[in-house]
């Protein structure tokens, strides 16, 4: 039974990671360049895509943390993890901190920056203010891709030092 739970947990963890980090990768390297190339107002499409992607990312984040905690406790005891006495537990701490920063950036972008863009656009605000916010929003997505790729690298370190 424990094995079944672990397999399902690892599968969900992996799937949710693909949705979140893969979704960011797709937005930056396919959707955004494609929208810029073909549309006069690429921001409109990007806004609509972000709106659809946000709930998928939200649920992925929830699943990633729940299954991540389960997977951590299934292979190591709580005291082994919190004592930070091994390369594995130290790498896990860095991974959790990066995942928390990514989550913060994700929600800041979704709950603070994006509504500001929507409000300014609806009010017919100054174009340079809108495009400034859009640039800030894009930079936050880029930052999250960088952190996401670092988290994946740290996952490789976790495998190597699993013990
Ligand atoms: C951005 C967030 C995260 C991403 C992209 C991510 C990604 C991954 C991937 C791709 C794997 C390997 C596939 C698998 O075994 O299912 C993995 C394994 C793992 N993850 Fe995460 N993860 C994230 C956050 C977390 C968090 C927050 C925790 C803990 C609270 C965690 C704990 C683990 C553990 C313990 C493993 C197994 C490592 C081992 O075998 O020693 N992950 N993660």
């Amino acid at each position: 039974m424990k094995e079944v739970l672990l397999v399902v947990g690892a599968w969900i963890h992996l799937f949710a990671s693909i949705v979140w980090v893969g979704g960011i990768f797709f937005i930056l390297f396919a959707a955004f360049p494609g929208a810029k190339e073909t549309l006069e107002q690429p921001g409109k499409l990007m806004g609509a895509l972000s709106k659809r992607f946000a709930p998928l990312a939200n649920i992925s984040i929830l699943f990633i943390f729940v299954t991540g905690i389960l997977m951590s406790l299934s292979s190591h005891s709580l005291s082994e993890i919190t004592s930070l006495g091994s390369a594995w537990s130290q790498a896990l701490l860095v991974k959790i901190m990066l995942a928390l920063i990514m989550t913060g950036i994700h929600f800041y972008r979704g709950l603070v920056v994006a509504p500001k863009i929507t409000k300014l656009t609806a009010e017919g605000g100054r174009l340079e203010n809108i495009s400034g916010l859009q640039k800030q929003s894009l930079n936050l997505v880029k930052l999250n891709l960088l952190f996401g790729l670092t988290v994946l690298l740290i996952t490789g370190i976790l495998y190597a030092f699993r013990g």
Side-chain angles (χ1 to χ4, degrees):
M1 188 59 200
K2 195 186 163 217
E3 280 78 10
V4 177
L5 219 90
L6 248 178
V7 170
V8 175
W11 177 63
I12 294 174
H13 195 75
L14 191 52
F15 184 40
S17 307
I18 290 168
V19 171
W20 193 17
V21 183
I24 295 174
F25 194 89
F26 173 79
I27 282 176
L28 286 178
F29 291 100
F32 185 60
K36 256 195 348 191
E37 213 175 280
T38 55
L39 301 173
E40 271 182 29
Q41 288 182 299
K44 263 192 177 170
L45 175 66
M46 294 316 295
L49 283 182
S50 289
K51 220 168 151 186
R52 281 172 186 269
F53 179 57
L56 299 176
N58 292 348
I59 197 153
S60 298
I61 291 168
L62 177 71
F63 280 135
I64 283 174
F65 275 95
V66 172
T67 53
I69 291 167
L70 284 178
M71 283 161 74
S72 306
L73 291 172
S74 74
S75 62
H76 294 74
S77 70
L78 188 62
S79 60
E80 271 173 327
I81 294 170
T82 51
S83 70
L84 298 179
S86 65
W88 187 91
S89 58
Q90 289 159 11
L92 183 69
L93 176 70
V94 177
K95 178 170 165 164
I96 293 172
M97 285 187 353
L98 281 179
L100 285 173
I101 294 171
M102 284 180 73
T103 305
I105 291 175
H106 169 78
F107 284 111
Y108 174 71
R109 194 183 151 267
L111 300 177
V112 179
V113 184
K116 266 192 204 166
I117 297 175
T118 312
K119 191 167 172 260
L120 266 181
T121 311
E123 289 169 352
R126 289 164 67 109
L127 222 68
E128 64 249 45
N129 290 347
I130 296 172
S131 70
L133 281 172
Q134 282 172 336
K135 216 171 254 167
Q136 186 192 348
S137 172
L138 189 67
N139 284 338
L140 290 174
V141 180
K142 285 180 184 166
L143 196 61
N144 254 2
L145 178 64
L146 191 75
F147 284 139
L149 294 179
T150 311
V151 164
L152 293 180
L153 181 71
I154 294 171
T155 303
I157 297 174
L158 286 180
Y159 276 121
F161 290 96
R162 202 182 309 180

